[in-house]
C-alpha cells in the first residue's frame, strides 16, 4: 500500500459521522479522531475487517500445496481437470468482485459480505463432500462466487477518515500477506491431520467466523457516495483501462498469480522427487523457504524505495522468477537446486506482492485509486484461473517439465511487456475538503488546483465534498490548496 497524504486541519476530510457509521462508544478515546493517527475505533474496525479477509484467504490458500496430490485420486481426475479445479475460484472471483462492490453501495456492506461468505462456505462444503473432480470443481466455483474483497475494502473506507485510510488499508494488506504465508506453511500439516476434505470443512468454519466478525461491527447505511480511493467508480473505468502504465501492472499481477497457481501443479512432485518427502511433510520445505524469502525481501524493498530503483528491481524480480522456473525445469530433481529455486521464486513473488499495489496507487489518476485497484484485483484473480487452466493442460502433455515450460513462457512475455514501463514518480495522494464557501464549478476548481506547486493531477468530487489530488510531496504547498478550496 502506498502512503496517503497527510491532511492538515484546514483541509481535513469530512467528519466521520458524515462519511461513515460511528463505532460503538468506549472509554479509550474520542468519538472522532483528529490528526493523522488511527483512533482505537478505526484500528478495531480495520483489524476486524482484516480478520474477515484472513478467514477467507486461509481457506483458499491452504489447499494450494496439497491439492494436486489429493485430486489425482478423485473420480474422473485428469491433469486438465485438476488444474481447472485449482484455479476455478479465480474466474468467478474475478468476474464478480467489482459487481459485488457496486451492489454493496445499494444494499449495504454487511448484506453482501454475509451473502458472499455463505456462498464461500457452501462451496467449501460441496468440495469437502465430493468424491469426484467435477464435484470439487463445482465447489471451487462456488467458493469464488463469494467475491467480497472489494466490499471489505469499501467497508474499511466507511469506518476511516480520509487522512488515515491508507494506514488502515496497510493493516489489511499486511494481513493478506501474512495469511498467504501461514496458509502455505500449515496446509501440508493439516493435510496430514485431517486430509484435504478436512481442510475444506475448516474453510467452511472459517467462513462462519468471518460472518460473526462482520456482524460484530455496526452497519453502514446504503446509498452513500462511493469512496473513490477505496472502491471502483464505473465512470472511471474507461480512463483506468486506457492507461498504459496501469495495463502493465495488470499484466504483472495476472502473470505473477498465473505462475504461482500453475507452479503448485508441479512443485509438490519436485519436492517429492528431490527431497523424498511425503506430502504431509512438505511444510518442512515450505516453512524455511517462505521465512528465507521474507528475510531476503526486506533489503530488496528498501533498495527499491529508498534508492528510487523501483523499475530496476521490478525487472530484476521478473527475471529472478523466470530463472527460478528454469532451474526447477532443468535441475529440480536435485535437492539444493530445488530449494534454491523455491527461495528465489518466493523472494521475487513477495517483493512483487509488496510493490505492485503501491505502484498502482502511485500511477492511478487522482480519485481513481479504487477503480484502478479493482481492475488490478480482477486481473489477479483471472491470472489464477489462467494459471490453473494452462498448468493443467501443460501437465497433461509433458508433466512437471511442461508446467515449468509454460511458466517460463509467461515470465518472458511479462518481461517484454514490463521492459517499456516508465520510471514511477514519487507521487502520493492527498484529499482536500471543499469549504462551504466554495462556489466554483468543479472543472474550474480542478484547473486552479492543477496550477499549484506539486499538484500532478486533480479530480473534484462535489458529491463527496472533497478534491482528490495526486501530488509531488517535495514541491507541494498544502496552504495553497486550502486557500483555493476555501478550507
Amino acid at each position: 500500500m502506498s502512503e496517503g497524504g497527510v491532511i492538515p486541519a484546514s483541509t481535513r476530510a469530512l467528519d466521520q459521522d458524515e462519511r461513515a457509521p460511528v463505532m460503538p462508544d468506549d472509554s479509550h478515546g474520542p468519538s472522532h479522531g483528529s490528526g493523522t493517527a488511527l483512533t482505537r475505533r478505526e484500528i478495531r474496525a480495520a483489524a476486524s475487517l482484516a480478520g474477515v479477509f484472513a478467514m477467507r484467504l486461509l481457506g483458499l490458500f491452504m489447499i494450494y500445496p496439497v491439492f494436486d496430490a489429493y485430486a489425482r485420486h478423485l473420480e474422473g481426475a485428469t491433469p486438465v481437470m485438476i488444474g481447472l479445479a485449482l484455479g476455478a475460484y479465480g474466474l468467478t472471483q474475478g468476474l464478480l468482485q467489482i459487481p459485488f462492490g457496486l451492489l454493496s453501495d445499494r444494499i449495504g456492506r454487511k448484506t453482501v459480505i454475509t451473502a458472499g461468505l455463505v456462498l464461500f462456505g457452501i462451496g467449501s462444503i460441496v468440495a469437502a463432500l465430493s468424491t469426484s473432480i467435477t464435484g470439487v470443481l463445482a465447489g471451487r466455483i462456488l467458493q469464488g462466487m463469494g467475491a467480497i474483497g472489494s466490499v471489505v475494502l469499501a467497508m474499511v473506507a466507511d469506518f476511516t477518515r480520509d487522512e488515515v485510510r491508507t494506514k488502515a488499508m496497510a493493516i489489511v494488506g499486511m494481513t493478506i500477506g501474512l495469511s498467504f504465508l501461514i496458509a502455505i506453511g500449515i496446509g501440508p500439516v493439516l493435510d496430514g491431520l485431517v486430509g484435504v476434505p478436512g481442510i475444506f470443512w475448516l474453510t467452511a468454519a472459517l467462513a462462519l467466523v468471518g460472518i460473526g466478525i462482520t456482524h460484530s461491527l455496526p452497519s453502514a447505511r446504503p446509498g452513500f457516495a462511493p469512496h473513490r480511493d477505496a472502491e471502483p467508480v464505473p465512470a472511471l473505468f474507461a480512463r483506468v483501462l486506457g492507461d498504459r502504465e496501469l495495463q502493465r501492472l495488470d499484466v504483472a499481477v495476472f502473470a505473477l498469480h498465473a505462475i504461482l497457481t500453475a507452479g503448485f501443479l508441479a512443485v509438490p512432485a519436485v519436492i517429492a522427487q528431490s527431497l523424498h518427502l511425503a506430502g504431509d511433510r512438505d511444510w518442512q520445505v515450505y516453512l524455511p523457504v517462505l521465512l528465507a524469502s521474507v528475510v531476503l525481501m526486506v533489503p530488496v524493498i528498501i533498495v527499491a524505495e529508498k534508492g528510487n530503483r523501483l523499475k530496476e528491481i521490478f525487472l530484476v524480480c521478473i527475471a529472478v522468477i523466470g530463472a527460478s522456473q528454469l532451474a526447477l525445469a532443468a535441475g529440480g530433481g536435485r535437492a539444493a537446486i530445488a530449494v534454491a529455486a523455491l527461495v528465489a521464486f518466493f523472494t521475487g513473488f513477495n517483493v512483487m506482492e509488496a510493490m505492485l499495489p503501491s505502484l498502482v496507487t502511485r500511477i492511478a489518476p487522482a480519485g481513481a485509486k479504487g477503480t484502478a485497484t479493482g481492475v488490478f484485483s480482477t486481473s489477479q484473480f483471472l491470472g489464477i484461473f489462467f494459471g490453473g487452466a494452462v498448468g493443467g493442460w501443460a501437465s497433461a502433455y509433458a508433466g512437471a517439465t511442461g508446467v515449468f515450460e509454460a511458466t517460463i513462457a509467461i515470465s518472458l512475455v511479462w518481461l517484454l511487456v514490463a521492459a517499456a514501463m516508465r520510471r514511477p514518480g514519487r507521487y502520493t495522494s492527498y484529499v482536500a475538503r471543499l469549504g462551504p464557501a466554495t462556489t466554483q464549478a468543479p472543472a474550474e476548481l480542478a484547473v486552479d488546483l492543477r496550477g499549484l506547486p506539486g499538484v500532478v493531477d486533480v479530480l473534484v468530487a462535489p458529491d463527496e465534498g472533497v478534491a482528490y489530488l495526486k501530488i509531488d510531496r517535495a514541491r507541494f504547498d498544502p496552504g495553497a490548496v486550502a486557500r483555493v478550496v476555501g478550507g
Side-chain angles (χ1 to χ4, degrees):
M1 298 285 180
S2 63
E3 293 184 4
V6 178
I7 302 178
S10 60
T11 56
R12 186 168 298 149
L14 297 179
D15 293 338
Q16 188 175 355
D17 58 353
E18 294 179 278
R19 291 292 304 274
V22 179
M23 298 291 291
D25 196 22
D26 60 49
S27 59
H28 301 292
S31 61
H32 299 291
S34 61
T36 57
L38 287 164
T39 66
R40 289 182 180 271
R41 295 183 179 90
E42 288 170 328
I43 293 172
R44 192 168 75 202
S48 296
L49 290 166
V52 174
F53 250 122
M55 296 303 102
R56 210 167 149 277
L57 291 175
L58 283 171
L60 286 171
F61 285 122
M62 282 190 296
I63 72 158
Y64 261 53
V66 297
F67 185 75
D68 181 68
Y70 165 75
R72 289 179 184 275
H73 303 289
L74 294 173
E75 179 186 342
T78 65
V80 172
M81 287 295 292
I82 292 171
L84 287 173
L86 182 62
Y89 83 91
L91 179 62
T92 44
Q93 173 93 0
L95 294 177
L96 293 176
Q97 68 147 356
I98 289 179
F100 275 22
L102 298 174
L103 179 64
S104 73
D105 289 338
R106 295 180 174 275
I107 67 174
R109 312 292 192 212
K110 272 190 182 181
T111 301
V112 176
I113 291 175
T114 301
L117 288 172
V118 167
L119 283 170
F120 180 67
I122 291 173
S124 302
I125 293 171
V126 169
L129 294 174
S130 295
T131 58
S132 70
I133 191 66
T134 304
V136 173
L137 173 62
R140 294 286 282 169
I141 290 171
L142 282 169
Q143 282 186 318
M145 291 176 68
I148 61 169
S150 62
V151 187
V152 173
L153 292 179
M155 196 167 181
V156 173
D158 294 343
F159 285 111
T160 53
R161 292 161 291 138
D162 293 300
E163 62 264 41
V164 298
R165 189 164 299 137
T166 298
K167 296 177 182 179
M169 293 297 182
I171 294 174
V172 176
M174 288 187 291
T175 302
I176 291 172
L178 185 61
S179 297
F180 172 78
L181 296 176
I182 292 173
I184 298 300
I186 68 172
V189 177
L190 290 173
D191 180 38
L193 295 173
V194 297
V196 172
I199 294 176
F200 281 127
W201 280 112
L202 176 59
T203 300
L206 291 174
L208 291 176
V209 173
I211 292 172
I213 294 173
T214 301
H215 285 271
S216 71
L217 295 170
S219 297
R221 59 184 177 87
F224 47 77
H227 308 278
R228 294 170 189 262
D229 60 345
E231 56 185 304
V233 177
L236 297 175
F237 280 130
R239 187 177 181 189
V240 166
L241 291 171
D243 189 301
R244 290 291 180 87
E245 296 306 307
L246 289 176
Q247 288 172 5
R248 290 189 176 93
L249 299 181
D250 294 337
V251 168
V253 77
F254 180 97
L256 181 66
H257 283 267
I259 293 169
L260 174 73
T261 305
F264 275 111
L265 295 171
V267 166
V270 168
I271 292 175
Q273 178 187 356
S274 62
L275 295 167
H276 310 291
L277 291 176
D280 59 351
R281 296 175 60 199
D282 283 357
W283 65 270
Q284 296 175 16
V285 176
Y286 288 122
L287 185 59
V289 161
L290 290 170
L291 291 175
S293 70
V294 170
V295 171
L296 293 171
M297 172 192 73
V298 174
V300 176
I301 293 294
I302 292 174
V303 170
E305 291 287 348
K306 300 296 184 182
N308 196 24
R309 294 288 186 268
L310 283 170
K311 179 178 178 179
E312 291 84 352
I313 296 297
F314 190 88
L315 296 175
V316 167
C317 282
I318 300 172
V320 167
I321 288 170
S324 73
Q325 303 304 292
L326 180 61
L328 288 168
R334 285 174 281 182
I337 293 178
V339 171
L342 289 173
V343 171
F345 170 76
F346 280 108
T347 300
F349 178 88
N350 288 333
V351 171
M352 281 293 182
E353 282 286 278
M355 284 176 56
L356 282 170
S358 175
L359 288 171
V360 170
T361 58
R362 288 189 187 195
I363 293 171
K369 186 162 57 175
T371 306
T373 301
V375 173
F376 174 83
S377 297
T378 295
S379 301
Q380 171 187 330
F381 292 117
L382 295 180
I384 289 170
F385 173 70
F386 180 81
V390 170
W393 173 82
S395 178
Y397 282 92
T401 300
V403 174
F404 294 128
E405 289 173 351
T407 55
I408 291 167
I410 294 171
S411 300
L412 290 173
V413 173
W414 178 12
L415 186 60
L416 288 173
V417 172
M421 73 181 290
R422 297 176 183 172
R423 186 177 300 279
R426 292 196 168 194
Y427 302 141
T428 188
S429 301
Y430 187 97
V431 183
R433 181 178 180 177
L434 304 182
T438 302
T439 58
Q440 281 181 288
E444 295 175 354
L445 183 58
V447 170
D448 289 347
L449 289 169
R450 283 192 190 95
L452 298 177
V455 176
V456 178
D457 192 20
V458 177
L459 186 144
V460 178
D463 56 332
E464 297 180 60
V466 299
Y468 292 96
L469 282 65
K470 181 194 286 190
I471 65 168
D472 179 348
R473 195 190 297 273
R475 300 186 297 114
F476 183 63
D477 179 4
V481 172
R483 289 189 290 272
V484 171
V485 300

